[in-house]
C-alpha cells in the first residue's frame, strides 16, 4: 500500500507512479484511516510533500495515529521538494520508530516548487524542464524501491536536529492572524478561518477606500463590506 498526502496533485502523481510500478494501490491519507493491515511481502510507502524542511502537519498527525498490522516486506517514505527535503525522512523515521515500525528507506523527488509567494512558476519552459527532471527522479526512485535500496537516499537532506527550528518556521508562516494588504483603491482583510487536512478556507472583506484618507471615513451609511469566500486545496 502506498499512502500519500497531496494538496496540489504533485504528490498524488508520484504516489500513483510508484504504485503502478509495484502493482499496488495509492490511497490518500484523507481517505484512509491510520489503521492498516499489510499482507506479508507487500510494500508500505508514504509519499509526502516537504513543508518548511519537515513533514506537513496532516502527515505528522496521521503518522502519530498510525497502527500497522502484518509484516510489510519494505517500508519507505518519499518526499517531494523544491529546494530541500529537509529532515522529512528523519522525522518520519523518528515517529515510526516510536510505534515499533522500522523504516527501511527514504527517497526524494525534486519538483516545481508550488510555494508561489516566493517561487515563480509563470515561465512554462522552466516548469517543463523541472517536470522532465522530476520524471527522471521518479524513475530512479522506482528503481531504488525495486532494488530494495535501504537507508536515507534523499538528496540535499538535513539532519533531525533541524526539526525544532523547522517547526518554529512552519508555525510562523502558517499562522492564522489576520493581515491587511492594499491593492489600488481597495483594502483586503483576509482571515484564514478553517484549515482541515490541507484545505484552507479564506474569507476576504473588501472595503472601498479613497486615496489619502482612511477607508472607514468614506463608508456610506448602510454600506456593507463585500465578502468573498475562497477555498484553497
Amino acid at each position: 500500500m502506498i499512502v500519500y498526502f497531496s494538496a496540489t496533485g504533485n504528490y498524488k502523481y508520484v504516489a500513483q507512479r510508484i504504485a503502478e510500478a509495484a502493482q499496488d494501490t495509492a490511497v490518500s491519507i484523507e481517505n484512509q484511516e491510520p489503521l492498516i493491515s499489510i499482507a506479508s511481502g507487500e510494500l508500505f510507502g508514504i509519499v509526502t510533500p516537504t513543508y518548511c524542511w519537515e513533514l506537513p502537519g496532516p502527515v505528522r498527525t496521521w503518522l502519530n495515529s498510525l497502527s500497522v498490522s502484518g509484516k510489510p516486506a519494505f517500508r519507505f517514505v518519499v518526499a517531494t521538494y523544491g529546494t530541500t527535503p529537509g529532515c522529512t525522512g528523519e522525522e518520519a523515521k523518528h515517529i515510526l520508530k516510536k510505534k515499533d515500525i522500522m523504516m527501511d528507506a527514504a527517497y526524494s523527488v525534486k519538483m516545481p516548487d508550488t510555494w508561489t509567494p516566493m517561487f515563480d512558476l509563470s515561465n512554462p519552459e522552466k516548469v517543463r524542464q523541472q517536470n522532465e527532471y522530476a520524471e527522471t527522479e521518479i524513475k530512479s526512485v522506482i528503481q531504488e524501491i525495486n532494488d530494495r535500496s535501504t537507508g536515507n537516499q534523499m538528496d540535499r537532506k538535513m539532519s533531525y536536529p533541524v526539526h525544532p527550528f523547522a517547526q518554529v518556521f512552519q508555525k510562523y508562516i502558517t499562522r492564522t492572524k489576520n493581515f491587511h494588504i492594499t491593492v489600488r483603491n481597495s483594502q483586503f482583510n483576509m482571515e484564514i478561518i478553517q484549515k482541515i487536512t490541507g484545505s484552507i478556507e479564506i474569507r476576504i472583506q473588501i472595503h472601498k477606500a479613497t486615496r489619502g484618507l482612511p477607508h472607514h471615513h468614506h463608508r456610506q451609511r448602510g454600506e456593507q463590506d463585500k465578502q468573498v469566500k475562497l477555498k484553497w486545496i
Side-chain angles (χ1 to χ4, degrees):
M1 176 182 286
I2 312 297
V3 297
Y4 65 87
F5 171 69
S6 184
T8 64
N10 281 348
Y11 330 114
K12 177 181 179 180
Y13 175 75
V14 175
Q16 289 177 333
R17 287 287 306 281
I18 294 171
E20 287 172 3
Q23 297 183 335
D24 209 323
T25 304
V27 182
S28 169
I29 65 172
E30 296 178 90
N31 301 320
Q32 176 64 53
E33 293 293 328
L35 304 173
I36 296 177
S37 177
I38 304 291
S40 179
E42 288 187 353
L43 297 176
F44 176 56
I46 303 159
V47 179
T48 175
T50 301
Y51 283 8
C52 303
W53 312 323
E54 63 174 358
L55 294 172
V59 176
R60 184 181 302 110
T61 299
W62 194 86
L63 289 180
N64 277 315
S65 302
L66 179 64
S67 176
V68 177
S69 61
K71 294 183 178 180
F74 196 64
R75 293 147 291 197
F76 62 89
V77 61
V78 178
T80 64
Y81 70 98
T83 55
T84 169
C87 62
T88 50
E90 293 301 317
E91 184 185 359
K93 179 181 178 180
H94 184 77
I95 294 173
L96 294 176
K97 186 177 180 180
K98 290 181 178 179
K99 304 177 133 333
D100 293 324
I101 303 172
M102 300 297 108
M103 194 174 71
D104 295 302
Y107 311 107
S108 60
V109 175
K110 181 175 173 59
M111 302 189 78
D113 200 309
T114 53
W115 186 20
T116 51
M118 181 176 291
F119 296 94
D120 182 14
L121 300 179
S122 62
N123 186 325
E125 178 59 23
K126 180 180 178 181
V127 173
R128 185 190 65 78
Q129 292 175 1
Q130 290 176 337
N131 282 329
E132 285 185 353
Y133 181 77
E135 284 294 332
T136 64
E137 293 221 321
I138 293 171
K139 291 178 182 178
S140 177
V141 166
I142 290 172
Q143 187 60 53
E144 295 282 358
I145 294 170
N146 289 339
D147 293 341
R148 300 295 192 264
S149 298
T150 59
N152 192 334
Q153 306 288 334
M154 290 183 169
D155 293 328
R156 303 181 184 181
K157 59 181 178 287
M158 297 179 182
S159 60
Y160 189 68
V162 171
H163 176 58
F165 302 98
Q167 277 197 313
V168 172
F169 182 49
Q170 185 173 155
K171 287 179 180 178
Y172 175 75
I173 68 168
T174 58
R175 66 195 187 282
T176 58
K177 184 178 179 181
N178 292 1
F179 61 95
H180 297 267
I181 59 174
T182 300
V183 180
R184 293 182 180 177
N185 294 327
S186 296
Q187 185 180 61
F188 294 76
N189 177 29
M190 303 177 67
E191 178 187 1
I192 298 178
I193 60 173
Q194 187 177 14
K195 182 176 181 181
I196 302 175
T197 60
S199 297
I200 302 176
E201 185 176 329
I202 294 180
R203 178 178 297 154
I204 301 177
Q205 292 181 321
I206 305 174
H207 311 288
K208 187 175 181 181
T210 300
R211 182 176 297 177
L213 292 175
H215 72 276
H216 60 270
H217 288 174
H218 299 273
R219 298 274 300 279
Q220 299 296 321
R221 182 175 298 178
E223 180 183 355
Q224 294 183 348
D225 298 334
K226 296 179 181 179
Q227 287 198 359
V228 181
K229 287 187 178 181
L230 304 178
K231 193 170 186 181
W232 291 356
I233 300 176

